[in-house]
Amino acid sequence: MHTISFPHLTNAHTFPNLLTSFPPFSSPAHFSPISVHFPTAPRNYRLRASTNESTPSTSTSTITVDNSDSANSTAFVIRARNRIGLLQVITRVFKVLGLSIDRAIVEFEGDFFIKRFFVTDSHGNKIEDLENLERIKRALAEAIGGDGDGTVSVVKSTANRGIVVRRAGLVEGFGERKAKAERMFSLMDGFLKNDPFSLQKDILHHVEYTVARSRFNFDDYEAYQALSHSVRDRLIERWHDTHTYFKRTKPKRLYFLSLEFLMGRSLSNSVINLGIQDQYAEALSQLGFEFDVLAEQEGDAALGNGGLARFSACQMDSLATLDYPAWGYGLRYEYGLFRQIIVDGFQHEQPDYWLNFGNPWEIERIHVTYEVKFYGTVEDVDRNGEKHEVWIPGETVEAVAYDNPIPGYGTRNTINLRLWAAKPSNHFDLEAYNTGDYINSIVNRQRTESISNVLYPDDRSHQGKEMRLKQQYFFVSASLQDIIRRFKEAHNNFDELPEKVALHLNDTHPSLSIAEIMRILVDEEQLDWNKAWNIVCKIFSFTTHTVVAEGLEKIPTDLLGSLLPRHLQILYKINSNFMEELKKRIGLDYNRLSRMSIVEEGAVKSIRMANLSIICSHTVNGVSKLHSDTLKMRTFKDFYELWPEKFQYTTNGVTQRRWIVVSNPSLCALLSKWLGTEAWIRNADLLTGLRDHVDNTGFRHEWKMVKRLNKMRLAEYIETMSGVKVSLDAMFDVQVKRIHEYKRQLLNIFGIIHRYDCLKNMDKNDRTKVVPRVCIIGGKAAPGYEIAKKIIKLCHAVAEKINNDADIGDLLKLVFIPDYNVSVAEMVIPGADLSQHLSTAGHEASGTGSMKFLMNGCLLLATADGSTVEIIEEIGSDNLFLFGAKVQEVAELREKGGALKVPLQFARVLRMVRDGYFGDKDYFKSLCDTVEVGNDFYLLGSDFGSYLEAQAAADKAFVEPEKWTKMSILSAAGSGRFSSDRTIREYAERTWKIDPCQCPF
């Protein structure tokens, strides 16, 4: 027998799946590991069920605890069959759990070894809490994976107990049913393995049997398809177990209703959250493929537009990671957001055929379908002597469910995003075919499927407005039928609905769900109106992303009455009851009554969806402190004075898993190294620990190297995409967001023109002192938004002039990135030095884009708008570049109108564009008119001088690399507050009243 001692063992490799059930026993901030690099990552093992209650045999692995061997530490004694890499795996378990190894002794016994680890907690004390000891033993048992058959005995002081991962007892039943269940579980009693060899077998299996290609001849795209199905298999395992556990424990569930989810790509995010990226990379490498190359084969799931949609996606990631019992509901758009094509500087829109080659991440649930009804009439019927309204619909379509598993990080919980697609009713199709009307059948099928075809149908026409309303109701009706069905499976009393269901309206798009659930409860479940109303008012919460009242959604009553006649009746009754109650509270103040009414009496009689949402919801959320103040003092002032307790704010956030771990792996590794833990991936508040290293020259050097690496990647993309070669020594100055007048891309372009004009008028010696800039702009303009499209054209016209001017060279470049989406953002954001957020103060509700840049150590040049106000509080005004009028100054400046003075520089730049210096003089005339004095609603001229000062301050800081790097580090260090994990916790505790429900399997 040989004895070898290993003092202070650690391992630099990750083993994230061990976080699934065993959180650290103390703050990781106390843990300072000594990293040792191993050439291959430890394998990921799963346990099969073991029910052996007897003493383990000589061929069985065992884990015991001995607290008598040492006065200062706890001894974990592990007997297991020897194999390569197991020692590293075990030490990694202790590290993940926040424990320290004082010393270790390994004794070999044939094919087995006995490892004795003397372990302390983060404070240097022995571990005596029995519950903690059990959790550590379970983690070790999962990690070592047992012998050839996966059996591990965890030895207790009295008896032995097998660690059960799946067991037949999950399926209740007796007799024959139970026997069938036992048989099924005996056939599938273990999880899929995650070692490289097993992953390779699974990938090749899918190549041959799912993709239907020969395993000896398949290309990158086919490899991506097989890889994705292999990952999806592992998601489905966790997904089934999560929802089985939810069904058994019956927690209160959140249902997040949003018409938009900008999910982006799923592959990298999924394997990182599952903790098996390294294993897949190794498996693919041995097959002759690169993981990163295959990941590029995936298209973006662009089921939304801008911040609201991306925020919804971040919400789902955080809900899964934090173990909340939640479902997301949305629409499965056939085409998603349009593809932006630039031809001669003009934006052209093409359909985004993102489903042309299938979507391996979704599961079609053909057995989960619901009828959705439109048009028709409402008839009065007599029930037991009482009059009741019954809706007789004129058209019926089918909603088919498509499920998308959403995995959490560091947990086994995998929740569901259910998207609905429209299909024709079988009854309608059969009727048409029976009468021989095949052409009409095809036309009706196409008309039905168009409901879920296009994101944001053009609503400038009556047909477009009707299609938009159809989309909203189709989504709402299918989702609520599904939710009520699930509730009734476990409960038979609707009084329990508020205790088990929380419905969240992400903006006003799902607000028809209020009228729909009232219809279901009153018409179908036959509840008394008042009882139904009391229930409904307890289950809804509402987040508005709108700032100005003019942008609030309204639906014409004639359209609503035609498409949904019963719902219009319900809305009238809700409003009538509310008006009567309101008169009792405020008297006959008709102006205020008119403003607060759900029904707007005007040239076009309409339903105010925001008013409906506020009246029915128990909580109304703003998405930043400034936004909330605007809602209270201006947009919804009347409602705030009536119900101040309803109004609160929860500042939006973004997920660090997507925006650092996936998009910036180099920064991810650097953060983990210097923070001494990977726990920041689940707890972004730990990023504040970077402040302790900000003066460390070694850390700052590594930080600059990471930034340069990301700039190289972005520069290669720019050259490939546009042919423009850019200097890595230049400041990469970025503004990427939806093109809109209030976001003021035009201010940015005018600033670039001013810089170009100054350079042209300098002598060569002065030019050598100028900070070189690469100005990057990206974003899409709505198809019908002509001014936004002209801004895009002007950007290209200016770029054409600047980029081809030999006098300027690398001192200034302007690049427009076409078809900006999530996957492009994952490349642009890590490579940015400076990010511009220029909205006129008071117009941006939150602004999650700034948070993504902040997390990646990019400095901000911004107005004090939206969440920027809170970013200033967190990182200090010295670490970003502020400019422009404050919210309280905007109204006064607008009142000055033609008397408002603008800087001479602004007038000169405007004149250059007007006079055709960049060509297309006539085309840009209307664009220039929007910013002339007296017409300049978004105050570009007023803010221009302050904007140039902020740009000069950025130049001055950039020429001092150490100062710039310090500001960059402090920006990232303050970004933890803007994680969507914090957002979700606040919503869960204050608004939804839901608790985490972690699946133990």
Side-chain angles (χ1 to χ4, degrees):
M1 183 178 291
H2 307 282
T3 302
I4 308 172
S5 178
F6 297 89
H8 305 294
L9 285 170
T10 60
N11 180 12
H13 283 305
T14 61
F15 205 93
N17 67 303
L18 291 174
L19 291 170
T20 55
S21 303
F22 314 104
F25 299 106
S26 58
S27 170
H30 298 295
F31 185 68
S32 302
I34 304 170
S35 293
V36 180
H37 178 74
F38 293 89
T40 57
R43 293 180 176 182
N44 209 2
Y45 292 89
R46 293 287 177 272
L47 299 178
R48 291 203 307 241
S50 171
T51 55
N52 179 22
E53 294 292 339
S54 60
T55 304
S57 68
T58 57
S59 63
T60 303
S61 301
T62 62
I63 301 170
T64 58
V65 177
D66 187 352
N67 251 330
S68 62
D69 218 26
S70 171
N72 302 318
S73 59
T74 298
F76 287 85
V77 183
I78 302 170
R79 182 182 185 277
R81 191 180 297 276
N82 192 21
R83 67 172 182 269
I84 296 173
L86 187 56
L87 184 64
Q88 295 96 307
V89 172
I90 294 170
T91 57
R92 179 61 184 165
V93 174
F94 290 122
K95 175 185 174 182
V96 168
L97 296 176
L99 306 173
S100 299
I101 302 173
D102 285 345
R103 56 195 172 92
I105 298 173
V106 180
E107 300 172 337
F108 293 96
E109 188 180 89
D111 289 339
F112 281 74
F113 59 70
I114 301 172
K115 300 187 180 186
R116 185 179 295 268
F117 294 88
F118 294 88
V119 176
T120 62
D121 65 18
S122 61
H123 301 291
N125 304 320
K126 66 168 22 180
I127 305 155
E128 297 181 307
D129 182 81
L130 295 178
E131 183 179 347
N132 284 347
L133 290 171
E134 282 300 308
R135 288 160 64 194
I136 299 169
K137 287 194 289 184
R138 289 201 302 272
L140 289 167
E142 178 182 349
I144 66 176
D147 307 315
D149 65 352
T151 303
V152 181
S153 293
V154 180
V155 181
K156 301 172 78 172
S157 57
T158 54
N160 306 325
R161 183 181 67 182
I163 298 299
V164 180
V165 174
R166 286 186 169 185
R167 60 177 185 273
L170 287 175
V171 178
E172 299 174 358
F174 301 95
E176 185 178 347
R177 182 182 175 195
K178 186 173 183 180
K180 288 179 180 178
E182 295 287 350
R183 173 66 175 164
M184 286 188 287
F185 273 87
S186 69
L187 291 170
M188 294 187 67
D189 64 348
F191 287 98
L192 294 170
K193 295 179 180 179
N194 293 325
D195 61 279
F197 178 72
S198 298
L199 296 177
Q200 288 169 356
K201 286 181 64 178
D202 286 353
I203 292 168
L204 292 177
H205 175 89
H206 280 296
V207 166
E208 188 135 336
Y209 298 108
T210 304
V211 185
R213 292 288 292 169
S214 166
R215 64 182 66 192
F216 303 108
N217 182 22
F218 58 100
D219 61 22
D220 284 346
Y221 184 75
E222 290 154 354
Y224 157 72
Q225 288 279 338
L227 169 63
S228 299
H229 280 94
S230 169
V231 176
R232 193 187 75 168
D233 290 345
R234 285 150 178 82
L235 290 175
I236 288 173
E237 285 184 331
R238 296 174 178 232
W239 184 46
H240 281 316
D241 285 344
T242 301
H243 290 288
T244 299
Y245 185 67
F246 289 170
K247 193 170 183 178
R248 289 178 60 210
T249 55
K250 300 178 182 177
K252 182 178 182 180
R253 300 194 198 199
L254 163 72
Y255 295 102
F256 188 81
L257 306 177
S258 178
L259 262 183
E260 299 182 43
F261 287 92
L262 195 54
M263 303 303 294
R265 293 172 174 172
S266 294
L267 176 58
S268 294
N269 196 70
S270 295
V271 296
I272 285 172
N273 279 11
L274 290 173
I276 50 179
Q277 184 184 31
D278 290 343
Q279 293 91 320
Y280 265 114
E282 182 180 346
L284 288 166
S285 176
Q286 293 173 9
L287 292 175
F289 293 93
E290 293 183 36
F291 180 88
D292 291 340
V293 172
L294 299 192
E296 288 297 315
Q297 302 298 313
E298 183 178 3
D300 272 43
L303 304 180
N305 176 37
L308 180 147
R310 185 56 224 166
F311 170 65
S312 299
C314 289
Q315 295 266 54
M316 294 302 294
D317 178 85
S318 290
L319 284 165
T321 296
L322 299 178
D323 302 315
Y324 287 112
W327 281 64
Y329 282 101
L331 280 186
R332 180 182 180 265
Y333 300 104
E334 186 79 16
Y335 299 111
L337 191 60
F338 64 86
R339 288 189 62 221
Q340 182 190 52
I341 306 297
I342 304 296
V343 180
D344 295 329
F346 293 95
Q347 171 181 295
H348 294 265
E349 301 85 34
Q350 289 186 356
D352 179 14
Y353 299 104
W354 77 285
L355 288 173
N356 261 15
F357 301 102
N359 176 15
W361 303 102
E362 68 182 10
I363 299 98
E364 183 180 14
R365 298 295 199 184
I366 55 175
H367 61 286
V368 182
T369 62
Y370 298 98
E371 289 188 343
V372 179
K373 300 161 186 174
F374 301 103
Y375 305 109
T377 59
V378 179
E379 297 181 1
D380 293 336
V381 298
D382 185 82
R383 290 180 187 161
N384 302 322
E386 294 184 3
K387 187 182 77 170
H388 292 270
E389 289 82 7
V390 175
W391 181 21
I392 310 299
E395 178 180 304
T396 301
V397 302
E398 296 281 342
V400 180
Y402 287 78
D403 287 345
N404 299 261
I406 308 293
Y409 178 89
T411 176
R412 284 192 175 91
N413 279 39
T414 298
I415 60 175
N416 196 37
L417 171 61
R418 176 160 285 178
L419 305 177
W420 301 105
K423 306 292 181 184
S425 167
N426 289 333
H427 170 74
F428 191 90
D429 258 8
L430 183 62
E431 185 178 288
Y433 275 101
N434 285 342
T435 59
D437 192 0
Y438 307 119
I439 300 299
N440 193 45
S441 174
I442 293 169
V443 169
N444 285 321
R445 180 182 185 89
Q446 291 174 339
R447 186 177 65 183
T448 296
E449 292 178 346
S450 68
I451 292 174
S452 56
N453 265 3
V454 181
L455 171 68
Y456 285 132
D458 190 342
D459 59 1
R460 287 176 291 180
S461 66
H462 176 81
Q463 292 82 357
K465 287 184 173 66
E466 183 181 64
M467 180 56 70
R468 183 67 170 160
L469 183 57
K470 264 192 168 183
Q471 281 188 343
Q472 292 182 359
Y473 179 67
F474 173 82
F475 154 60
V476 158
S477 175
S479 301
L480 288 178
Q481 288 183 71
D482 199 43
I483 292 164
I484 295 296
R485 185 265 309 162
R486 190 174 299 111
F487 172 79
K488 290 172 70 174
E489 284 179 354
H491 309 278
N492 54 19
N493 186 349
F494 278 101
D495 289 336
E496 299 176 39
L497 194 65
E499 304 303 318
K500 294 298 178 181
V501 170
L503 294 174
H504 191 76
L505 307 175
N506 191 31
D507 219 56
T508 56
H509 309 138
S511 297
L512 279 172
S513 53
I514 296 168
E516 172 67 359
I517 202 164
M518 282 298 293
R519 187 193 66 79
I520 292 171
L521 294 179
V522 173
D523 294 0
E524 296 182 6
E525 302 297 337
Q526 299 181 25
L527 268 64
D528 172 74
W529 175 278
N530 291 331
K531 181 177 181 179
W533 180 248
N534 288 334
I535 290 171
V536 168
C537 289
K538 294 176 183 176
I539 61 177
F540 280 102
S541 54
F542 168 51
T543 292
T544 176
H545 298 261
T546 308
V547 177
V548 294
E550 294 76 18
L552 297 172
E553 184 179 18
K554 300 172 187 176
I555 301 175
T557 55
D558 59 347
L559 174 60
L560 190 57
S562 169
L563 192 68
L564 303 168
R566 177 61 180 139
H567 295 75
L568 183 59
Q569 288 183 343
I570 290 170
L571 291 171
Y572 279 152
K573 185 168 182 178
I574 291 172
N575 190 56
S576 176
N577 292 346
F578 172 62
M579 287 289 102
E580 290 304 313
E581 288 296 318
L582 191 57
K583 288 173 186 176
K584 296 175 185 177
R585 297 279 298 271
I586 68 171
L588 300 179
D589 182 345
Y590 291 109
N591 287 333
R592 188 175 177 191
L593 288 169
S594 175
R595 291 194 302 267
M596 297 179 72
S597 173
I598 295 171
V599 181
E600 180 180 70
E601 304 284 353
V604 178
K605 189 175 181 180
S606 302
I607 299 296
R608 296 168 171 146
M609 303 309 288
N611 287 18
L612 171 66
S613 302
I614 294 170
I615 291 166
C616 185
S617 297
H618 56 76
T619 306
V620 179
N621 288 280
V623 293
S624 69
K625 186 177 186 304
L626 182 61
H627 180 230
S628 181
D629 291 342
T630 302
L631 297 179
K632 293 175 184 178
M633 299 299 105
R634 192 173 69 204
T635 315
F636 299 134
K637 183 174 184 290
D638 292 321
F639 286 103
Y640 175 68
E641 290 174 353
L642 181 67
W643 293 311
E645 70 282 358
K646 276 193 181 188
F647 286 78
Q648 61 185 32
Y649 79 92
T650 304
T651 302
N652 283 353
V654 298
T655 169
Q656 65 271 25
R657 266 88 54 189
R658 169 74 69 169
W659 296 109
I660 299 180
V661 182
V662 172
S663 64
N664 199 345
S666 300
L667 180 61
C668 175
L670 183 66
L671 295 176
S672 297
K673 173 185 174 181
W674 285 89
L675 292 174
T677 179
E678 291 168 344
W680 64 268
I681 300 174
R682 278 179 63 96
N683 180 8
D685 288 341
L686 295 176
L687 292 173
T688 57
L690 296 174
R691 293 168 181 162
D692 297 336
H693 306 292
V694 72
D695 293 321
N696 186 301
T697 54
F699 175 53
R700 290 208 300 265
H701 175 72
E702 291 183 36
W703 188 272
K704 286 187 282 188
M705 290 301 100
V706 166
K707 178 59 71 175
R708 191 167 184 87
L709 181 67
N710 287 317
K711 289 177 72 171
M712 288 173 61
R713 186 173 63 145
L714 178 55
E716 289 173 3
Y717 174 76
I718 289 171
E719 185 174 3
T720 302
M721 176 269 302
S722 68
V724 178
K725 195 171 250 184
V726 298
S727 168
L728 296 180
D729 295 324
M731 179 197 297
F732 281 23
D733 174 359
V734 176
Q735 186 185 21
V736 282
K737 51 186 75 234
R738 182 165 47 94
I739 308 295
H740 198 289
E741 287 169 276
Y742 89 82
K743 293 180 181 290
R744 300 203 294 189
Q745 286 90 352
L746 189 55
L747 178 64
N748 187 2
I749 295 169
F750 278 11
I752 294 167
I753 294 173
H754 172 73
R755 179 177 286 264
Y756 174 68
D757 187 39
C758 290
L759 286 168
K760 289 293 287 182
N761 288 292
M762 284 182 186
D763 61 39
K764 290 185 177 180
N765 290 332
D766 288 337
R767 285 178 188 167
T768 60
K769 302 172 186 176
V770 172
V771 174
R773 290 254 188 147
V774 176
C775 300
I776 300 167
I777 297 176
K780 297 179 180 180
Y785 194 175
E786 287 303 320
I787 292 297
K789 287 187 168 183
K790 290 189 176 187
I791 292 172
I792 292 174
K793 173 58 178 173
L794 178 61
C795 179
H796 284 87
V798 174
E800 182 74 16
K801 174 74 79 172
I802 293 174
N803 296 343
N804 293 299
D805 191 326
D807 294 338
I808 303 302
D810 286 340
L811 287 177
L812 184 62
K813 296 292 184 185
L814 174 57
V815 177
F816 185 89
I817 294 182
D819 204 33
Y820 182 72
N821 55 27
V822 175
S823 54
V824 174
E826 290 171 8
M827 188 180 309
V828 171
I829 291 172
D833 292 307
L834 182 73
S835 175
Q836 300 197 41
H837 305 271
L838 312 180
S839 58
T840 309
H843 284 74
E844 191 73 81
S846 179
T848 52
S850 59
M851 302 171 187
K852 299 163 194 170
F853 284 98
L854 195 73
M855 281 184 174
N856 283 271
C858 177
L859 273 58
L860 306 183
L861 190 150
T863 54
D865 196 22
S867 59
T868 303
V869 175
E870 291 158 78
I871 290 175
I872 296 167
E873 294 173 0
E874 195 66 24
I875 70 172
S877 58
D878 292 342
N879 292 308
L880 74 167
F881 308 102
L882 285 171
F883 80 97
K886 304 294 188 292
V887 174
Q888 59 273 19
E889 299 168 348
V890 168
E892 183 181 341
L893 289 169
R894 282 176 176 156
E895 286 176 6
K896 291 183 179 180
L900 190 66
K901 292 184 178 180
V902 299
L904 291 176
Q905 299 100 315
F906 183 81
R908 176 173 171 79
V909 166
L910 184 59
R911 179 53 54 191
M912 290 173 71
V913 177
R914 272 201 182 280
D915 290 347
Y917 188 85
F918 301 99
D920 297 296
K921 174 180 177 181
D922 294 336
Y923 181 77
F924 292 130
K925 179 181 182 302
S926 60
L927 178 62
C928 293
D929 289 343
T930 65
V931 294
E932 282 286 4
V933 174
N935 295 330
D936 189 8
F937 183 78
Y938 294 105
L939 303 178
L940 277 71
S942 174
D943 280 351
F944 195 67
S946 174
Y947 177 68
L948 295 182
E949 290 173 5
Q951 290 282 11
D955 283 337
K956 185 178 178 181
F958 193 75
V959 296
E960 300 180 53
E962 294 306 315
K963 177 182 177 180
W964 186 275
T965 302
K966 185 174 181 178
M967 293 171 71
S968 172
I969 293 168
L970 291 174
S971 295
S975 66
R977 174 178 169 183
F978 305 100
S979 166
S980 53
D981 294 348
R982 186 266 315 149
T983 305
I984 288 299
R985 282 196 191 94
E986 290 182 7
Y987 269 116
E989 294 168 5
R990 301 189 313 191
T991 303
W992 302 326
K993 310 296 183 186
I994 58 173
D995 297 314
C997 186
Q998 187 180 47
C999 176
F1001 307 112

